[in-house]
Amino acid sequence: MKFLEVDSLDLINTAFVWETSECVLTGRVEAYSCKSAGTDKKLFKTLESRYNTDLLVPGSISPDELHIVSPFGRLTEAAPRKTFFYLLATLNAAFPEHDFEDVRPDQFLKLPSVELVMNSVNTTLFNLGNDAIVNRYRLWDVLDDIVQLEECDVYSYNPDVDDDPMNEEEGYLWSMNYFFFNRKLKRMIFFSCKSESMNAPTAEEMEEEIVTDDSRRYHDDFVMDDL
């Protein structure tokens, strides 16, 4: 996936960090072109070897897995596999420190309509005190200019706790992750927002803790050497 530089999204993202009395919220909206990079090609080959019936080694996958009906359709068919690939490739691009190759299809959900997602996001942002992203920064108008929302399929990513890349962060509470995919334009919008406890340590505090732990280990090793 190729990250697209969009000034209007940069402006939205500057306002996508705010606090309530109970939590700190951080969001981002990113645009991608469905143009494969080097790592994407490796992912595509992996998915093809896993689900393409023309390439399968007999006995390498169970019949139940082979005929699974995913949110994208049957993964034995090329078009659903390609959609699945695009979503995983977007996650890999958005979280380069993680590998989403083994994410299951059932961890995604296809939403009934764009309007449903817009209402859900608006309600969340308004209730948490950040209506400026929608009203002042014209979130939906900006996204519509990029991907023509009415022509998009919308998916959500609902990972298991162990597979959630954000769950590794201190104080993590919840997140919402949406993909707006326009097949004709071959463009993807990734919308993500996460909530962290106000009591979670800051990045500076975590770095200080790491330095302190390293110093303590060095001191202990030094003492042991003297003994």
Side-chain angles (χ1 to χ4, degrees):
M1 304 294 282
K2 180 181 179 182
F3 178 78
L4 300 177
E5 295 281 354
V6 182
D7 291 342
S8 51
L9 288 184
D10 290 341
L11 189 60
I12 289 173
N13 287 328
T14 60
F16 229 149
V17 180
W18 77 104
E19 297 180 0
T20 71
S21 59
E22 299 178 348
C23 61
V24 178
L25 296 114
T26 307
R28 57 173 164 160
V29 192
E30 297 173 342
Y32 293 91
S33 168
C34 299
K35 183 177 181 180
S36 296
T39 54
D40 294 337
K41 294 175 182 177
K42 176 179 177 294
L43 172 63
F44 182 74
K45 288 181 180 179
T46 299
L47 294 183
E48 285 294 289
S49 66
R50 188 174 297 166
Y51 296 107
N52 189 338
T53 53
D54 294 334
L55 302 177
L56 284 177
V57 176
S60 63
I61 190 169
S62 71
D64 289 340
E65 291 178 292
L66 185 59
H67 296 291
I68 184 172
V69 178
S70 72
F72 326 107
R74 291 191 179 277
L75 293 179
T76 51
E77 300 173 6
R81 281 200 309 275
K82 200 66 175 288
T83 300
F84 185 31
F85 158 72
Y86 284 141
L87 297 191
L88 294 185
T90 300
L91 286 173
N92 280 338
F95 301 98
E97 68 278 12
H98 294 273
D99 185 358
F100 293 87
E101 179 180 298
D102 294 324
V103 168
R104 303 188 311 274
D106 62 3
Q107 291 179 301
F108 293 94
L109 181 66
K110 185 175 182 180
L111 285 307
S113 69
V114 172
E115 289 77 13
L116 180 69
V117 176
M118 291 171 63
N119 289 336
S120 177
V121 170
N122 288 349
T123 299
T124 300
L125 294 177
F126 291 177
N127 287 342
L128 293 172
N130 196 345
D131 62 303
I133 290 178
V134 175
N135 295 327
R136 180 180 175 186
Y137 294 98
R138 301 171 41 253
L139 171 66
W140 303 115
D141 290 336
V142 170
L143 298 194
D144 192 49
D145 288 341
I146 300 170
V147 292
Q148 300 177 14
L149 289 172
E150 289 302 322
E151 296 183 8
C152 288
D153 289 328
V154 189
Y155 298 90
S156 64
Y157 174 51
N158 309 289
D160 296 336
V161 173
D162 293 339
D163 296 326
D164 190 344
M166 299 183 190
N167 193 41
E168 299 176 0
E169 301 173 8
E170 291 286 341
Y172 171 75
L173 298 175
W174 56 263
S175 67
M176 57 179 176
N177 304 282
Y178 294 112
F179 304 80
F180 299 84
F181 178 36
N182 188 313
R183 298 176 189 277
K184 293 180 181 178
L185 297 178
K186 292 189 176 181
R187 285 186 177 181
M188 184 85 71
I189 291 288
F190 177 59
F191 176 100
S192 179
C193 184
K194 67 177 179 179
S195 172
E196 297 172 285
S197 170
M198 287 290 288
N199 298 322
T202 64
E204 291 78 10
E205 290 171 338
M206 293 181 67
E207 185 174 343
E208 288 178 4
E209 184 177 345
I210 292 173
V211 171
T212 301
D213 288 343
D214 289 343
S215 299
R216 188 178 295 118
R217 281 195 294 270
Y218 175 80
H219 176 268
D220 292 343
D221 291 342
F222 183 78
V223 171
M224 290 298 294
D225 288 342
D226 283 348
L227 293 176

